[in-house]
Amino acid sequence: MTAAASSDADLISAHAAGDPHAFAELVRRHRDRMWAVALRTLRDPEEAADALQEAFISAFRAAASFRAESQVTTWLHRIVVNACLDRMRRRQTRPTVPLPEAGPGEPVAPRDAMAERETRLVVQAALNELPEEQRAPIVLVDVEGYSVAETAQLLGIAEGTVKSRCARGRAKLAKVLGHLRNQGADANVPINDVQVQQGRQLEER
């Protein structure tokens, strides 16, 4: 069986057994998603790149202790999130420049795509304003699609804490992003109308 055809668990086992190519394949499979998590959590591309590098080094060293009690992706996410949280605690400054969606030299986007990009930047800026303890669970639950239980496991906190932090974060986002609900059903916002309404109800209590 080739590395590309192996399961994630097989690759971890092969790496632990000394296969020099297995971990590189694992990184290739999951790098993009892990990068997205780090970037949304830290807001700074350089910080995210450093956190991702630290996370993969930690995963490389800890792979032999992986016990398959969770999915490999969950294990990797936990390491990435922990690396991001460590950098948050160490960081002294907090850049608030919105993250670019495209690099130089790319073709001009159609009007709808430009509107979607602007919406993404507004949402990203709103996420940037959340306290770190609220932003991390919001990113994992509402952007990455993890369950409350999975998020609690990734962050090492109780499920009730995840729910309360998400509720407080959504209430703040609802206040800032409420105007986007009137832009049409196609607005690409990482919290749905139900979550926005829940946030407003919490805010009114």
Side-chain angles (χ1 to χ4, degrees):
M1 180 181 294
T2 64
S6 301
S7 69
D8 289 346
D10 289 338
L11 289 173
I12 287 286
S13 297
H15 168 66
D19 186 330
H21 306 294
F23 194 80
E25 172 62 19
L26 197 68
V27 170
R28 185 194 66 77
R29 288 183 185 182
H30 301 292
R31 178 179 54 234
D32 289 347
R33 188 170 185 183
M34 300 302 157
W35 165 250
V37 171
L39 193 58
R40 289 188 181 110
T41 304
L42 288 170
R43 306 173 296 169
D44 183 306
E46 291 185 4
E47 288 280 327
D50 288 343
L52 191 62
Q53 182 178 6
E54 291 172 0
F56 278 131
I57 289 173
S58 295
F60 183 91
R61 293 172 176 170
S65 62
F66 178 72
R67 293 292 180 264
E69 296 174 353
S70 63
Q71 295 293 323
V72 172
T73 51
T74 301
W75 176 73
L76 284 174
H77 269 75
R78 185 183 303 114
I79 293 174
V80 171
V81 169
N82 285 338
C84 290
L85 295 177
D86 285 343
R87 294 196 75 83
M88 282 181 176
R89 287 188 283 265
R90 297 196 302 262
R91 188 168 56 185
Q92 298 299 319
T93 59
R94 299 180 181 180
T96 58
V97 178
L99 300 174
E101 289 289 325
E106 294 188 2
V108 176
R111 183 173 181 177
D112 288 347
M114 289 295 293
E116 180 177 314
R117 178 180 301 175
E118 290 172 1
T119 299
R120 286 178 179 272
L121 291 176
V122 170
V123 171
Q124 182 65 54
L127 284 171
N128 290 351
E129 295 302 316
L130 291 178
E132 293 167 358
E133 66 172 15
Q134 293 172 13
R135 187 170 66 251
I138 285 284
V139 167
L140 290 171
V141 174
D142 293 338
V143 180
E144 293 298 318
Y146 281 88
S147 69
V148 170
E150 290 169 331
T151 299
Q153 184 179 21
L154 286 168
L155 296 177
I157 57 179
E159 291 183 25
T161 304
V162 172
K163 292 178 182 178
S164 64
R165 290 180 181 179
C166 283
R168 291 196 297 270
R170 288 168 186 158
K172 293 176 182 177
L173 289 175
K175 185 175 182 180
V176 176
L177 300 175
H179 66 284
L180 293 178
R181 299 181 66 197
N182 299 322
Q183 292 185 359
D186 294 332
N188 189 5
V189 182
I191 50 176
N192 60 38
D193 285 347
V194 174
Q195 292 167 333
V196 170
Q197 187 62 35
Q198 289 174 341
R200 284 177 173 164
Q201 290 171 351
L202 285 168
E203 196 175 41
E204 292 168 356
R205 290 177 184 174

